[in-house]
Amino acid sequence: MAISNKELVLNAMDRKAVERVPAGFWFHFLDDEIHADAYTHPELEKKVLDGEIRYIEEAQPDFVKIMTDGFFSYPNPIVQKARTAAELAKVQPLPDDHPFFERQVAYAKEITKRYGSDIATFYNIFCAGTTIKFMQPGTLAEDEAFLAGLVREDKEAVKQAFAVISADLARLAHRIITEAGVTGIYFSLQNLVGEGADRALYEEVFAPGEKEILRVANAASSYNILHICGYAGHRNELDWYKDYDAKTINWAAVVEGVPLEEGRRIFPQHALLGGFGNLPTDILYRGTRAEVEAETRRILAAAGRTGVILGADCTVPRDIDRKRFDWVRGAAREG
């Protein structure tokens, strides 16, 4: 008896033997996914929801990363206006009925009520540091510099603010799982870069809130994914996350130069998601069918077929030909 795509993915996450290695890819639906504001412009939420539904109907994916274009920001007026660490530290938790929770739960529920019994769904949530970066108006490099500057200014104030913001993000994770019915969260974070950004500082300021979000998510679901984000070439020290409690780990295998088989040595107790590069210059986007299929077989030959889910470093270009995803799944099925 054939199992559902959802059961296939959960078995892979549990590192059980699977009849075929599952695969999943995702992309943004808005032109400016970072700064788009669906709280103020609900038509953006509809555009993303319609795009998600259209993609699921057309591609019949093994799992869905529920994209949160338009919901990247944390609509807390203190955080929105803060330009110094002292101002940021004044942040207070959002009320339970705030649109930050209500709108996102309702959005996720629209997807799970249609597909949640057959397809595993993972809701995208960013850590506090990434959330603050995305709320800035500059380039990614400028926003990273802004965050690093806040930490240098007063790390205790930033740590205090992160505790509040992370608690709200944890509440969101809990409600998305328990009320909207998603399988788990896809939790995105990355190393701090810039002057003085070492591991000790990260573990003091960033890690406590991140681990709290995962703790709360894990209490609601055993199936959560940690994404160590290498978007736009951001480099990470992967071993900073060896003790983060998530069922599955996804990192930028191509950007970091750490393929799945090497990542298994860093994360021996986890399922692994990824393997493909996500840029227009990478094989998944530009390769012929034969090249994509060959790359699929190469990845699996090196990484093995147990505890592996094929995917990409991060979001793939939104104009990618969807049939390429089928090429990967077909090659994975052949063994």
Side-chain angles (χ1 to χ4, degrees):
M1 178 178 175
I3 64 174
S4 68
N5 286 354
K6 181 175 183 177
E7 188 175 355
L8 177 71
V9 170
L10 298 188
N11 285 343
M13 293 178 76
D14 284 330
R15 296 185 296 158
K16 296 178 180 178
V18 291
E19 60 187 30
R20 69 172 175 86
V21 176
F25 303 93
W26 48 90
F27 45 86
H28 291 293
F29 295 98
L30 300 180
D31 293 335
D32 183 0
E33 69 277 359
I34 293 176
H35 299 113
D37 183 359
Y39 299 107
T40 304
H41 300 281
E43 69 275 11
L44 297 179
E45 177 185 336
K46 184 179 187 304
K47 182 177 180 179
V48 176
L49 176 61
D50 289 347
E52 288 274 19
I53 292 172
R54 185 166 56 252
Y55 164 62
I56 295 170
E57 292 290 338
E58 293 174 353
Q60 297 294 304
D62 291 332
F63 69 93
V64 173
K65 177 198 168 191
I66 300 179
M67 304 302 287
T68 53
D69 301 8
F71 289 128
F72 279 22
S73 70
Y74 173 64
N76 188 307
I78 297 297
V79 178
Q80 289 171 328
K81 296 176 182 178
R83 303 307 301 166
T84 68
E87 291 171 346
L88 186 66
K90 297 177 182 177
V91 61
Q92 296 295 313
L94 295 174
D96 287 338
D97 62 352
H98 194 280
F100 177 73
F101 303 110
E102 298 292 326
R103 289 275 302 281
Q104 293 196 69
V105 168
Y107 160 63
K109 193 178 292 185
E110 286 296 319
I111 296 173
T112 60
K113 74 181 183 182
R114 290 176 169 86
Y115 309 108
S117 61
D118 299 316
I119 301 174
T121 54
F122 301 95
Y123 194 83
N124 183 61
I125 289 180
F126 294 104
C127 67
T130 299
T131 297
I132 289 173
K133 285 190 293 186
F134 282 166
M135 292 172 68
Q136 309 312 310
T139 64
L140 289 175
E142 290 169 341
D143 297 344
E144 286 184 340
F146 172 77
L147 181 60
L150 291 179
V151 176
R152 286 195 301 271
E153 176 189 337
D154 188 341
K155 66 179 181 181
E156 290 301 324
V158 174
K159 184 177 179 180
Q160 177 182 329
F162 278 4
V164 174
I165 298 168
S166 296
D168 274 356
L169 292 167
R171 266 199 294 160
L172 175 64
H174 175 80
R175 293 186 62 177
I176 287 289
I177 295 169
T178 60
E179 296 179 32
V182 302
T183 306
I185 64 169
Y186 178 94
F187 182 45
S188 178
L189 45 67
Q190 58 186 191
N191 289 178
L192 176 68
V193 298
E195 180 185 348
D198 60 11
R199 183 172 186 171
L201 180 66
Y202 190 91
E203 290 184 350
E204 179 182 359
V205 177
F206 290 74
E210 294 167 352
K211 291 179 178 180
E212 175 64 9
I213 292 168
L214 282 174
R215 185 193 68 78
V216 171
N218 287 328
S221 169
S222 298
Y223 297 96
N224 296 296
I225 300 171
L226 179 68
H227 172 59
I228 307 167
C229 187
Y231 182 74
H234 181 114
R235 299 296 300 275
N236 295 279
E237 297 291 340
L238 300 181
D239 64 354
W240 290 13
Y241 304 102
K242 287 193 297 185
D243 66 341
Y244 276 52
D245 187 9
K247 178 80 73 172
T248 301
I249 310 292
N250 172 224
W251 70 92
V254 175
V255 169
E256 309 290 3
V258 181
L260 295 186
E261 63 272 19
E262 291 186 22
R264 192 179 294 283
R265 290 193 283 272
I266 303 172
F267 304 108
Q269 304 303 317
H270 301 77
L272 310 178
L273 166 60
F276 284 91
N278 69 314
L279 300 178
T281 53
D282 289 319
I283 289 175
L284 181 67
Y285 184 88
R286 65 165 178 80
T288 64
R289 178 170 184 166
E291 289 171 334
V292 172
E293 292 174 341
E295 180 67 0
T296 303
R297 290 189 285 267
R298 184 198 67 76
I299 291 170
L300 293 178
R305 305 180 65 86
T306 302
V308 171
I309 303 172
L310 291 167
D313 283 0
C314 199
T315 50
V316 299
R318 56 177 57 83
D319 66 345
I320 191 170
D321 190 334
R322 312 295 189 256
K323 69 187 178 191
R324 293 175 172 274
F325 306 155
D326 287 332
W327 297 350
V328 173
R329 289 204 298 179
R333 182 180 291 109
E334 294 166 9

